[in-house]
Every structure is written in structure tokens, then in C-alpha cells.
């Protein structure tokens, strides 16, 4: 029982740390977006690329949330 609890705690900490890192990366992309000139084609293309990266980061976080939930459903 104690080992199971320790394993759950370690997995939860790892998943949370990874999620925090992904959210930080998404925030960095948004900060970069503030400085892109979207009036030109290249700028609009860069904005689209940055937003796709943000979506990827957020999808990873969403998956991490579901994984954390599943950890405790199995207990």
C-alpha cells in the first residue's frame, strides 16, 4: 500500500512538472507572438506556426491531466 502511494505520488509529480514545462513553453510562444507583424505574409505565416506549437503544448497538458485522473481511478 505504501509503495503504491509512493508510486502514485512520483507519477503525479512527474506529470505535473511536465505540464508546467509545457505551459511555460506555450506562454513563451504567446510572448513571442506579441512582437510579430501580422500585416505581412511572412508574419502571418509565423503567427500560424507559433499558434500550432501552442496547440501542441496544450494538447500535451490536456493528456497529462487525463493521465493524472486515470492514476487515481485505478486505485
Amino acid at each position: 500500500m505504501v509503495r503504491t502511494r509512493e508510486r502514485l505520488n512520483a507519477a503525479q509529480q512527474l506529470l505535473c512538472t511536465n505540464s508546467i514545462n509545457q505551459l511555460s513553453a506555450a506562454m513563451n510562444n504567446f510572448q513571442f507572438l506579441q512582437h510579430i507583424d501580422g500585416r505581412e505574409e511572412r508574419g502571418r505565416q509565423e503567427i500560424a506556426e507559433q499558434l500550432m506549437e501552442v496547440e501542441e503544448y496544450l494538447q500535451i497538458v490536456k493528456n497529462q491531466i487525463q493521465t493524472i485522473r486515470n492514476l487515481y481511478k485505478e486505485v
Side-chain angles (χ1 to χ4, degrees), residues 5-20:
R5 191 176 321 143
E6 289 173 353
R7 287 180 183 160
L8 284 172
N9 190 28
Q12 179 181 341
Q13 286 180 353
L14 180 67
L15 292 165
C16 287
T17 299
N18 188 37
S19 292
I20 290 167

Side-chain angles (χ1 to χ4, degrees), residues 4 13 18 20-21 31 33 59 61:
T4 300
Q13 286 180 353
N18 188 37
I20 290 167
N21 291 337
Q31 289 171 341
L33 278 171
Q59 185 61 45
V61 171

Side-chain angles (χ1 to χ4, degrees), residues 33-61:
L33 278 171
Q34 291 177 320
H35 305 290
I36 298 173
D37 184 358
R39 293 176 289 182
E40 298 177 16
E41 177 64 27
R42 180 64 189 130
R44 288 189 296 275
Q45 194 174 18
E46 185 65 30
I47 288 170
E49 290 171 9
Q50 292 296 316
L51 290 174
M52 286 176 34
E53 282 186 34
V54 167
E55 284 180 314
E56 290 174 16
Y57 293 135
L58 295 178
Q59 185 61 45
I60 291 169
V61 171

